[in-house]
Amino acid sequence: MRFVYFARVREAVGVDSEERAVPAEVRTVQDCIAWLESCDARYAAAFADPSRLRFALDQQMVAADAALADHEELAIFPPVTGG
């Protein structure tokens, strides 16, 4: 799966995007966040407050309980504000 990170998430993780093989037991966005956090302290820091994260699967906004099945890209970013 391709992971794309934006804003403070990208800064904390240290990369704009990456490809990773997701384990079979990781079935939802929420599972994926927990799995990534367990991989490296940078991810744990980036995802420390999951209530402040937004997600998109294949460029469609989704909730944390959305299924990953058959999706190719997960984007993770903080809420966007404008002015």
Side-chain angles (χ1 to χ4, degrees):
M1 175 169 265
R2 177 176 165 83
F3 294 91
V4 182
Y5 309 110
F6 294 94
R8 67 175 174 76
V9 175
R10 177 184 61 227
E11 293 169 10
V13 171
V15 295
D16 293 348
S17 64
E18 62 184 334
E19 297 278 338
R20 286 181 170 251
V22 178
E25 64 272 9
V26 175
R27 293 189 174 102
T28 66
V29 170
Q30 191 170 14
D31 292 346
C32 196
I33 294 302
W35 169 68
L36 286 168
E37 285 179 315
S38 73
C39 291
D40 189 299
R42 295 173 301 153
Y43 297 94
F47 308 145
D49 186 0
S51 69
R52 297 187 50 95
L53 296 174
R54 300 297 177 263
F55 312 101
L57 284 170
D58 295 340
Q59 301 181 8
Q60 296 294 316
M61 295 296 294
V62 297
D65 62 352
L68 293 178
D70 300 323
H71 292 286
E72 295 180 10
E73 179 184 273
L74 172 62
I76 306 168
F77 49 92
V80 178
T81 60

